[in-house]
Amino acid sequence: MKQAIVSWKGGMAFEARTGSDHTVTMDARPEVGGEDRGPRPTELLLAALGGCTGMDVVSILRKMRVPFERVEVAVEADERAEHPRYFERFRLVYRVFGPDVPADQVRRAVELSETRYCSVAGLFRHAAEISYRIEINGEAVD
C-alpha cells in the first residue's frame, strides 16, 4: 500500500509527506489566496507522469546497454475549460542525449514504458489521451 499524509500549512499551502518520508509543499497562486510557496497539485501530476516514464526509460535503456548521457521528458497537458478541470490530453517529448544512441532501442524503451510499465500513464490513460514523440540529440525520431 502506498500512502501520503497531506497537512495544511496556512493560507492555501499544504505539505505532503510520502510513505518514503519525503516532503513536498504545494501552494496556490497569489490571485487565489496562495503565497506561491510550491508547485500546484496539478503540476505535480505532470511531474509524476514524466518521472514515472523517465525512470522506466532509463532502466530499460540500461538493460539494453544503450550508451546515453542524459534523458529528459517534457510533459504538457490540456485541461477542460469547466470544473472539474481535469486533464484531457497529455503530450510527452522524450529527449535522449549521447553519442551513437540507437533510435530503435529508444523507441522500444518508450513503448514499453507507455504500454506496460508506467503506472501513472496507465492511470491517466483511462481518462485522457496520451501522445508522445522522441528526440535524440535534438533531432526528431520518426
Side-chain angles (χ1 to χ4, degrees):
M1 175 177 79
K2 305 253 180 184
Q3 70 173 21
I5 297 173
V6 182
S7 304
W8 180 55
K9 295 299 181 182
M12 294 294 286
F14 282 79
E15 180 183 87
R17 179 167 297 280
T18 67
S20 58
D21 203 32
H22 294 278
T23 61
V24 63
T25 299
M26 299 171 280
D27 202 357
R29 301 182 319 270
E31 307 84 67
V32 295
E35 297 175 20
D36 199 26
R37 292 193 273 167
R40 314 303 170 249
T42 52
E43 292 173 326
L44 292 176
L45 291 173
L46 300 181
L49 177 56
C52 178
T53 190
M55 288 178 191
D56 289 342
V57 168
V58 164
S59 176
I60 294 165
L61 290 176
R62 283 180 176 159
K63 288 176 184 168
M64 292 177 171
R65 299 175 195 244
V66 170
F68 64 91
E69 296 170 352
R70 185 166 48 115
V71 174
E72 298 175 356
V73 183
V75 183
E76 295 179 344
D78 297 326
E79 293 179 299
R80 287 173 15 118
E82 57 277 340
H83 291 282
R85 295 189 57 166
Y86 56 82
F87 295 123
E88 294 181 304
R89 278 175 298 285
F90 293 91
R91 289 174 305 284
L92 290 84
V93 180
Y94 292 87
R95 298 177 179 138
V96 181
F97 300 87
D100 303 318
V101 175
D104 60 330
Q105 289 182 301
V106 173
R107 189 178 300 109
R108 182 68 181 143
V110 168
E111 289 170 358
L112 285 169
S113 176
E114 289 279 331
T115 60
R116 183 182 283 173
Y117 294 116
C118 180
S119 56
V120 177
L123 175 66
F124 289 166
R125 193 173 289 107
H126 288 287
E129 172 190 323
I130 300 175
S131 63
Y132 66 87
R133 73 175 199 266
I134 299 168
E135 296 175 358
I136 298 177
N137 297 317
E139 299 291 325
V141 172
D142 292 329

